[in-house]
PDB file of all heavy atoms in Angstrom:
ATOM      1  N   VAL A  16      87.450  86.482 101.202  1.00 98.00           N
ATOM      2  CA  VAL A  16      87.657  87.846 100.773  1.00 98.00           C
ATOM      3  C   VAL A  16      86.415  88.674 101.285  1.00 98.00           C
ATOM      4  O   VAL A  16      85.245  88.168 101.112  1.00 98.00           O
ATOM      5  CB  VAL A  16      87.831  87.991  99.290  1.00 98.00           C
ATOM      6  CG1 VAL A  16      87.730  89.493  98.889  1.00 98.00           C
ATOM      7  CG2 VAL A  16      89.101  87.404  98.880  1.00 98.00           C
ATOM      8  N   ILE A  17      86.582  89.893 101.728  1.00 98.00           N
ATOM      9  CA  ILE A  17      85.575  90.829 102.084  1.00 98.00           C
ATOM     10  C   ILE A  17      85.517  91.901 101.014  1.00 98.00           C
ATOM     11  O   ILE A  17      86.541  92.415 100.680  1.00 98.00           O
ATOM     12  CB  ILE A  17      85.751  91.447 103.466  1.00 98.00           C
ATOM     13  CG1 ILE A  17      85.767  90.365 104.534  1.00 98.00           C
ATOM     14  CG2 ILE A  17      84.690  92.493 103.764  1.00 98.00           C
ATOM     15  CD1 ILE A  17      86.410  90.822 105.851  1.00 98.00           C
ATOM     16  N   VAL A  18      84.325  92.107 100.471  1.00 98.00           N
ATOM     17  CA  VAL A  18      84.195  93.146  99.445  1.00 98.00           C
ATOM     18  C   VAL A  18      83.497  94.305 100.080  1.00 98.00           C
ATOM     19  O   VAL A  18      82.326  94.262 100.496  1.00 98.00           O
ATOM     20  CB  VAL A  18      83.370  92.634  98.215  1.00 98.00           C
ATOM     21  CG1 VAL A  18      83.186  93.737  97.237  1.00 98.00           C
ATOM     22  CG2 VAL A  18      84.075  91.411  97.611  1.00 98.00           C
ATOM     23  N   ALA A  19      84.222  95.476 100.182  1.00 97.00           N
ATOM     24  CA  ALA A  19      83.686  96.649 100.865  1.00 97.00           C
ATOM     25  C   ALA A  19      83.902  97.901  99.961  1.00 97.00           C
ATOM     26  O   ALA A  19      84.428  98.919 100.410  1.00 97.00           O
ATOM     27  CB  ALA A  19      84.386  96.769 102.220  1.00 97.00           C
ATOM     28  N   THR A  20      83.526  97.701  98.768  1.00 96.00           N
ATOM     29  CA  THR A  20      83.676  98.802  97.733  1.00 96.00           C
ATOM     30  C   THR A  20      82.265  99.367  97.501  1.00 96.00           C
ATOM     31  O   THR A  20      81.275  98.884  98.043  1.00 96.00           O
ATOM     32  CB  THR A  20      84.247  98.235  96.494  1.00 96.00           C
ATOM     33  OG1 THR A  20      83.346  97.115  96.055  1.00 96.00           O
ATOM     34  CG2 THR A  20      85.652  97.684  96.649  1.00 96.00           C
ATOM     35  N   PRO A  21      82.091 100.405  96.644  1.00 96.00           N
ATOM     36  CA  PRO A  21      80.787 100.882  96.285  1.00 96.00           C
ATOM     37  C   PRO A  21      79.968  99.678  95.660  1.00 96.00           C
ATOM     38  O   PRO A  21      80.468  98.877  94.954  1.00 96.00           O
ATOM     39  CB  PRO A  21      81.084 101.986  95.280  1.00 96.00           C
ATOM     40  CG  PRO A  21      82.465 102.510  95.650  1.00 96.00           C
ATOM     41  CD  PRO A  21      83.148 101.249  96.031  1.00 96.00           C
ATOM     42  N   PRO A  22      78.645  99.729  95.948  1.00 96.00           N
ATOM     43  CA  PRO A  22      77.792  98.580  95.485  1.00 96.00           C
ATOM     44  C   PRO A  22      77.855  98.349  93.996  1.00 96.00           C
ATOM     45  O   PRO A  22      77.632  97.211  93.580  1.00 96.00           O
ATOM     46  CB  PRO A  22      76.436  98.992  95.922  1.00 96.00           C
ATOM     47  CG  PRO A  22      76.644  99.969  97.092  1.00 96.00           C
ATOM     48  CD  PRO A  22      78.007 100.602  96.762  1.00 96.00           C
ATOM     49  N   VAL A  23      78.039  99.336  93.206  1.00 97.00           N
ATOM     50  CA  VAL A  23      78.054  99.086  91.713  1.00 97.00           C
ATOM     51  C   VAL A  23      79.201  98.135  91.339  1.00 97.00           C
ATOM     52  O   VAL A  23      79.070  97.466  90.286  1.00 97.00           O
ATOM     53  CB  VAL A  23      78.174 100.470  90.984  1.00 97.00           C
ATOM     54  CG1 VAL A  23      79.608 101.103  91.216  1.00 97.00           C
ATOM     55  CG2 VAL A  23      77.889 100.328  89.499  1.00 97.00           C
ATOM     56  N   SER A  24      80.246  98.071  92.119  1.00 97.00           N
ATOM     57  CA  SER A  24      81.398  97.180  91.802  1.00 97.00           C
ATOM     58  C   SER A  24      81.283  95.804  92.426  1.00 97.00           C
ATOM     59  O   SER A  24      82.080  94.925  92.063  1.00 97.00           O
ATOM     60  CB  SER A  24      82.710  97.830  92.239  1.00 97.00           C
ATOM     61  OG  SER A  24      82.741  97.979  93.635  1.00 97.00           O
ATOM     62  N   HIS A  25      80.315  95.612  93.329  1.00 98.00           N
ATOM     63  CA  HIS A  25      80.238  94.293  94.078  1.00 98.00           C
ATOM     64  C   HIS A  25      80.134  93.060  93.124  1.00 98.00           C
ATOM     65  O   HIS A  25      80.866  92.134  93.341  1.00 98.00           O
ATOM     66  CB  HIS A  25      79.073  94.336  95.040  1.00 98.00           C
ATOM     67  CG  HIS A  25      79.280  95.229  96.211  1.00 98.00           C
ATOM     68  ND1 HIS A  25      78.342  95.388  97.160  1.00 98.00           N
ATOM     69  CD2 HIS A  25      80.358  95.925  96.584  1.00 98.00           C
ATOM     70  CE1 HIS A  25      78.795  96.247  98.118  1.00 98.00           C
ATOM     71  NE2 HIS A  25      80.031  96.579  97.770  1.00 98.00           N
ATOM     72  N   PRO A  26      79.246  93.091  92.114  1.00 98.00           N
ATOM     73  CA  PRO A  26      79.095  91.851  91.274  1.00 98.00           C
ATOM     74  C   PRO A  26      80.347  91.470  90.620  1.00 98.00           C
ATOM     75  O   PRO A  26      80.733  90.215  90.714  1.00 98.00           O
ATOM     76  CB  PRO A  26      78.039  92.227  90.302  1.00 98.00           C
ATOM     77  CG  PRO A  26      77.203  93.301  91.002  1.00 98.00           C
ATOM     78  CD  PRO A  26      78.169  94.136  91.756  1.00 98.00           C
ATOM     79  N   ASP A  27      81.052  92.323  89.969  1.00 98.00           N
ATOM     80  CA  ASP A  27      82.314  91.950  89.304  1.00 98.00           C
ATOM     81  C   ASP A  27      83.367  91.451  90.224  1.00 98.00           C
ATOM     82  O   ASP A  27      84.060  90.445  89.962  1.00 98.00           O
ATOM     83  CB  ASP A  27      82.821  93.114  88.472  1.00 98.00           C
ATOM     84  CG  ASP A  27      81.995  93.410  87.236  1.00 98.00           C
ATOM     85  OD1 ASP A  27      81.208  92.553  86.789  1.00 98.00           O
ATOM     86  OD2 ASP A  27      82.096  94.533  86.696  1.00 98.00           O
ATOM     87  N   ILE A  28      83.562  92.182  91.311  1.00 98.00           N
ATOM     88  CA  ILE A  28      84.606  91.748  92.305  1.00 98.00           C
ATOM     89  C   ILE A  28      84.206  90.488  92.970  1.00 98.00           C
ATOM     90  O   ILE A  28      85.024  89.562  93.075  1.00 98.00           O
ATOM     91  CB  ILE A  28      84.845  92.885  93.346  1.00 98.00           C
ATOM     92  CG1 ILE A  28      85.398  94.131  92.658  1.00 98.00           C
ATOM     93  CG2 ILE A  28      85.798  92.409  94.440  1.00 98.00           C
ATOM     94  CD1 ILE A  28      85.465  95.389  93.496  1.00 98.00           C
ATOM     95  N   ALA A  29      83.009  90.358  93.471  1.00 98.00           N
ATOM     96  CA  ALA A  29      82.573  89.046  94.121  1.00 98.00           C
ATOM     97  C   ALA A  29      82.685  87.933  93.148  1.00 98.00           C
ATOM     98  O   ALA A  29      83.234  86.851  93.573  1.00 98.00           O
ATOM     99  CB  ALA A  29      81.123  89.232  94.642  1.00 98.00           C
ATOM    100  N   CYS A  30      82.179  88.060  91.956  1.00 98.00           N
ATOM    101  CA  CYS A  30      82.228  86.949  90.996  1.00 98.00           C
ATOM    102  C   CYS A  30      83.708  86.580  90.655  1.00 98.00           C
ATOM    103  O   CYS A  30      83.962  85.387  90.459  1.00 98.00           O
ATOM    104  CB  CYS A  30      81.408  87.282  89.754  1.00 98.00           C
ATOM    105  SG  CYS A  30      79.664  87.189  90.040  1.00 98.00           S
ATOM    106  N   TYR A  31      84.552  87.546  90.587  1.00 98.00           N
ATOM    107  CA  TYR A  31      85.948  87.269  90.268  1.00 98.00           C
ATOM    108  C   TYR A  31      86.500  86.292  91.303  1.00 98.00           C
ATOM    109  O   TYR A  31      87.156  85.316  90.930  1.00 98.00           O
ATOM    110  CB  TYR A  31      86.746  88.594  90.275  1.00 98.00           C
ATOM    111  CG  TYR A  31      88.184  88.406  89.910  1.00 98.00           C
ATOM    112  CD1 TYR A  31      88.593  88.386  88.653  1.00 98.00           C
ATOM    113  CD2 TYR A  31      89.150  88.172  90.884  1.00 98.00           C
ATOM    114  CE1 TYR A  31      89.937  88.180  88.217  1.00 98.00           C
ATOM    115  CE2 TYR A  31      90.503  87.957  90.569  1.00 98.00           C
ATOM    116  CZ  TYR A  31      90.858  87.987  89.187  1.00 98.00           C
ATOM    117  OH  TYR A  31      92.221  87.767  88.880  1.00 98.00           O
ATOM    118  N   PHE A  32      86.259  86.555  92.596  1.00 98.00           N
ATOM    119  CA  PHE A  32      86.789  85.636  93.652  1.00 98.00           C
ATOM    120  C   PHE A  32      86.003  84.377  93.685  1.00 98.00           C
ATOM    121  O   PHE A  32      86.563  83.183  93.833  1.00 98.00           O
ATOM    122  CB  PHE A  32      86.832  86.364  94.976  1.00 98.00           C
ATOM    123  CG  PHE A  32      87.927  87.400  95.078  1.00 98.00           C
ATOM    124  CD1 PHE A  32      87.614  88.684  94.945  1.00 98.00           C
ATOM    125  CD2 PHE A  32      89.201  86.988  95.306  1.00 98.00           C
ATOM    126  CE1 PHE A  32      88.629  89.648  95.014  1.00 98.00           C
ATOM    127  CE2 PHE A  32      90.219  87.906  95.358  1.00 98.00           C
ATOM    128  CZ  PHE A  32      89.941  89.293  95.190  1.00 98.00           C
ATOM    129  N   LEU A  33      84.693  84.390  93.633  1.00 98.00           N
ATOM    130  CA  LEU A  33      83.834  83.183  93.703  1.00 98.00           C
ATOM    131  C   LEU A  33      84.286  82.189  92.561  1.00 98.00           C
ATOM    132  O   LEU A  33      84.348  81.013  92.799  1.00 98.00           O
ATOM    133  CB  LEU A  33      82.363  83.563  93.572  1.00 98.00           C
ATOM    134  CG  LEU A  33      81.845  84.352  94.751  1.00 98.00           C
ATOM    135  CD1 LEU A  33      80.475  84.915  94.374  1.00 98.00           C
ATOM    136  CD2 LEU A  33      81.779  83.415  96.026  1.00 98.00           C
ATOM    137  N   GLU A  34      84.463  82.721  91.373  1.00 97.00           N
ATOM    138  CA  GLU A  34      84.806  81.870  90.229  1.00 97.00           C
ATOM    139  C   GLU A  34      86.169  81.207  90.522  1.00 97.00           C
ATOM    140  O   GLU A  34      86.522  80.221  89.832  1.00 97.00           O
ATOM    141  CB  GLU A  34      84.827  82.614  88.962  1.00 97.00           C
ATOM    142  CG  GLU A  34      83.379  83.029  88.546  1.00 97.00           C
ATOM    143  CD  GLU A  34      83.278  84.051  87.474  1.00 97.00           C
ATOM    144  OE1 GLU A  34      84.338  84.578  86.989  1.00 97.00           O
ATOM    145  OE2 GLU A  34      82.148  84.400  87.052  1.00 97.00           O
ATOM    146  N   ARG A  35      87.007  81.745  91.379  1.00 97.00           N
ATOM    147  CA  ARG A  35      88.238  81.141  91.695  1.00 97.00           C
ATOM    148  C   ARG A  35      88.180  80.288  92.949  1.00 97.00           C
ATOM    149  O   ARG A  35      89.239  79.858  93.539  1.00 97.00           O
ATOM    150  CB  ARG A  35      89.301  82.257  91.908  1.00 97.00           C
ATOM    151  CG  ARG A  35      89.744  82.752  90.551  1.00 97.00           C
ATOM    152  CD  ARG A  35      90.228  84.210  90.538  1.00 97.00           C
ATOM    153  NE  ARG A  35      90.566  84.586  89.164  1.00 97.00           N
ATOM    154  CZ  ARG A  35      89.662  84.952  88.255  1.00 97.00           C
ATOM    155  NH1 ARG A  35      88.409  84.895  88.537  1.00 97.00           N
ATOM    156  NH2 ARG A  35      89.998  85.287  87.010  1.00 97.00           N
ATOM    157  N   GLY A  36      86.994  80.055  93.453  1.00 97.00           N
ATOM    158  CA  GLY A  36      86.757  79.170  94.599  1.00 97.00           C
ATOM    159  C   GLY A  36      87.059  79.793  95.938  1.00 97.00           C
ATOM    160  O   GLY A  36      87.312  79.095  96.915  1.00 97.00           O
ATOM    161  N   ILE A  37      87.008  81.073  96.038  1.00 98.00           N
ATOM    162  CA  ILE A  37      87.298  81.838  97.244  1.00 98.00           C
ATOM    163  C   ILE A  37      85.986  82.345  97.843  1.00 98.00           C
ATOM    164  O   ILE A  37      85.329  83.124  97.210  1.00 98.00           O
ATOM    165  CB  ILE A  37      88.310  82.995  97.099  1.00 98.00           C
ATOM    166  CG1 ILE A  37      89.696  82.436  96.455  1.00 98.00           C
ATOM    167  CG2 ILE A  37      88.528  83.760  98.405  1.00 98.00           C
ATOM    168  CD1 ILE A  37      90.584  83.537  96.000  1.00 98.00           C
ATOM    169  N   PRO A  38      85.676  81.967  99.014  1.00 98.00           N
ATOM    170  CA  PRO A  38      84.426  82.440  99.675  1.00 98.00           C
ATOM    171  C   PRO A  38      84.504  83.994  99.835  1.00 98.00           C
ATOM    172  O   PRO A  38      85.514  84.608  99.967  1.00 98.00           O
ATOM    173  CB  PRO A  38      84.419  81.806 101.087  1.00 98.00           C
ATOM    174  CG  PRO A  38      85.280  80.576 100.909  1.00 98.00           C
ATOM    175  CD  PRO A  38      86.330  80.987  99.918  1.00 98.00           C
ATOM    176  N   VAL A  39      83.224  84.581  99.761  1.00 98.00           N
ATOM    177  CA  VAL A  39      83.150  86.052  99.715  1.00 98.00           C
ATOM    178  C   VAL A  39      82.083  86.493 100.735  1.00 98.00           C
ATOM    179  O   VAL A  39      80.966  85.984 100.759  1.00 98.00           O
ATOM    180  CB  VAL A  39      82.766  86.551  98.374  1.00 98.00           C
ATOM    181  CG1 VAL A  39      82.408  88.098  98.349  1.00 98.00           C
ATOM    182  CG2 VAL A  39      83.863  86.281  97.299  1.00 98.00           C
ATOM    183  N   LEU A  40      82.431  87.495 101.527  1.00 98.00           N
ATOM    184  CA  LEU A  40      81.579  88.316 102.349  1.00 98.00           C
ATOM    185  C   LEU A  40      81.437  89.627 101.700  1.00 98.00           C
ATOM    186  O   LEU A  40      82.407  90.326 101.539  1.00 98.00           O
ATOM    187  CB  LEU A  40      82.078  88.443 103.790  1.00 98.00           C
ATOM    188  CG  LEU A  40      81.341  89.422 104.624  1.00 98.00           C
ATOM    189  CD1 LEU A  40      79.925  88.895 105.009  1.00 98.00           C
ATOM    190  CD2 LEU A  40      82.159  89.795 105.951  1.00 98.00           C
ATOM    191  N   CYS A  41      80.182  89.982 101.245  1.00 98.00           N
ATOM    192  CA  CYS A  41      80.014  91.228 100.530  1.00 98.00           C
ATOM    193  C   CYS A  41      79.287  92.223 101.402  1.00 98.00           C
ATOM    194  O   CYS A  41      78.228  91.823 102.017  1.00 98.00           O
ATOM    195  CB  CYS A  41      79.230  90.888  99.256  1.00 98.00           C
ATOM    196  SG  CYS A  41      79.142  92.340  98.090  1.00 98.00           S
ATOM    197  N   GLU A  42      79.729  93.420 101.478  1.00 96.00           N
ATOM    198  CA  GLU A  42      79.047  94.490 102.253  1.00 96.00           C
ATOM    199  C   GLU A  42      77.671  94.813 101.589  1.00 96.00           C
ATOM    200  O   GLU A  42      77.489  94.494 100.400  1.00 96.00           O
ATOM    201  CB  GLU A  42      79.902  95.715 102.309  1.00 96.00           C
ATOM    202  CG  GLU A  42      80.692  95.922 103.555  1.00 96.00           C
ATOM    203  CD  GLU A  42      79.849  95.859 104.821  1.00 96.00           C
ATOM    204  OE1 GLU A  42      78.717  96.458 104.842  1.00 96.00           O
ATOM    205  OE2 GLU A  42      80.303  95.304 105.799  1.00 96.00           O
ATOM    206  N   LYS A  43      76.814  95.387 102.361  1.00 95.00           N
ATOM    207  CA  LYS A  43      75.502  95.788 101.855  1.00 95.00           C
ATOM    208  C   LYS A  43      75.543  97.294 101.409  1.00 95.00           C
ATOM    209  O   LYS A  43      76.446  97.996 101.929  1.00 95.00           O
ATOM    210  CB  LYS A  43      74.478  95.595 102.893  1.00 95.00           C
ATOM    211  CG  LYS A  43      74.703  96.321 104.159  1.00 95.00           C
ATOM    212  CD  LYS A  43      73.655  96.073 105.223  1.00 95.00           C
ATOM    213  CE  LYS A  43      73.874  96.939 106.353  1.00 95.00           C
ATOM    214  NZ  LYS A  43      72.981  96.940 107.423  1.00 95.00           N
ATOM    215  N   PRO A  44      74.711  97.681 100.526  1.00 95.00           N
ATOM    216  CA  PRO A  44      73.806  96.800  99.769  1.00 95.00           C
ATOM    217  C   PRO A  44      74.571  95.894  98.838  1.00 95.00           C
ATOM    218  O   PRO A  44      75.569  96.211  98.310  1.00 95.00           O
ATOM    219  CB  PRO A  44      72.938  97.816  99.009  1.00 95.00           C
ATOM    220  CG  PRO A  44      73.701  99.061  98.950  1.00 95.00           C
ATOM    221  CD  PRO A  44      74.616  99.066 100.088  1.00 95.00           C
ATOM    222  N   LEU A  45      73.950  94.708  98.692  1.00 96.00           N
ATOM    223  CA  LEU A  45      74.639  93.645  97.896  1.00 96.00           C
ATOM    224  C   LEU A  45      74.949  94.109  96.468  1.00 96.00           C
ATOM    225  O   LEU A  45      76.070  93.887  95.971  1.00 96.00           O
ATOM    226  CB  LEU A  45      73.728  92.410  97.853  1.00 96.00           C
ATOM    227  CG  LEU A  45      74.347  91.222  97.212  1.00 96.00           C
ATOM    228  CD1 LEU A  45      75.590  90.744  97.884  1.00 96.00           C
ATOM    229  CD2 LEU A  45      73.341  90.073  97.199  1.00 96.00           C
ATOM    230  N   CYS A  46      73.977  94.696  95.811  1.00 96.00           N
ATOM    231  CA  CYS A  46      74.151  95.150  94.466  1.00 96.00           C
ATOM    232  C   CYS A  46      72.970  96.015  94.042  1.00 96.00           C
ATOM    233  O   CYS A  46      72.118  96.473  94.905  1.00 96.00           O
ATOM    234  CB  CYS A  46      74.266  93.977  93.492  1.00 96.00           C
ATOM    235  SG  CYS A  46      72.861  92.828  93.651  1.00 96.00           S
ATOM    236  N   LEU A  47      72.877  96.421  92.763  1.00 97.00           N
ATOM    237  CA  LEU A  47      71.883  97.344  92.358  1.00 97.00           C
ATOM    238  C   LEU A  47      70.657  96.723  91.634  1.00 97.00           C
ATOM    239  O   LEU A  47      69.762  97.467  91.304  1.00 97.00           O
ATOM    240  CB  LEU A  47      72.513  98.412  91.412  1.00 97.00           C
ATOM    241  CG  LEU A  47      73.686  99.159  92.071  1.00 97.00           C
ATOM    242  CD1 LEU A  47      74.306 100.166  91.094  1.00 97.00           C
ATOM    243  CD2 LEU A  47      73.304  99.821  93.409  1.00 97.00           C
ATOM    244  N   SER A  48      70.726  95.424  91.368  1.00 97.00           N
ATOM    245  CA  SER A  48      69.634  94.774  90.707  1.00 97.00           C
ATOM    246  C   SER A  48      69.455  93.338  91.085  1.00 97.00           C
ATOM    247  O   SER A  48      70.438  92.721  91.572  1.00 97.00           O
ATOM    248  CB  SER A  48      69.754  94.881  89.106  1.00 97.00           C
ATOM    249  OG  SER A  48      70.788  94.035  88.706  1.00 97.00           O
ATOM    250  N   VAL A  49      68.332  92.794  90.883  1.00 98.00           N
ATOM    251  CA  VAL A  49      68.076  91.369  91.110  1.00 98.00           C
ATOM    252  C   VAL A  49      68.922  90.476  90.212  1.00 98.00           C
ATOM    253  O   VAL A  49      69.516  89.471  90.700  1.00 98.00           O
ATOM    254  CB  VAL A  49      66.613  90.986  90.962  1.00 98.00           C
ATOM    255  CG1 VAL A  49      66.347  89.527  91.033  1.00 98.00           C
ATOM    256  CG2 VAL A  49      65.732  91.714  91.970  1.00 98.00           C
ATOM    257  N   SER A  50      69.155  90.886  88.949  1.00 98.00           N
ATOM    258  CA  SER A  50      69.881  90.068  88.088  1.00 98.00           C
ATOM    259  C   SER A  50      71.364  89.951  88.525  1.00 98.00           C
ATOM    260  O   SER A  50      72.080  88.953  88.360  1.00 98.00           O
ATOM    261  CB  SER A  50      69.815  90.531  86.644  1.00 98.00           C
ATOM    262  OG  SER A  50      70.369  91.868  86.493  1.00 98.00           O
TER     263      SER A  50
END
């Protein structure tokens, strides 16, 4: 899955797919914080 949404939504969307075993390519910026 490619995540190309606003950065604020990247962590939730990426983790949703990652937790289901689906590789993710996330657009930059990756997210808004180190955590």
Side-chain angles (χ1 to χ4, degrees):
V16 170
I17 299 165
V18 178
T20 56
V23 69
S24 65
H25 289 177
D27 288 341
I28 295 170
C30 286
Y31 183 87
F32 286 103
L33 292 167
E34 290 165 358
R35 284 153 182 77
I37 300 171
V39 172
L40 169 69
C41 191
E42 262 303 321
K43 60 182 185 176
L45 184 61
C46 54
L47 303 180
S48 72
V49 172
S50 64

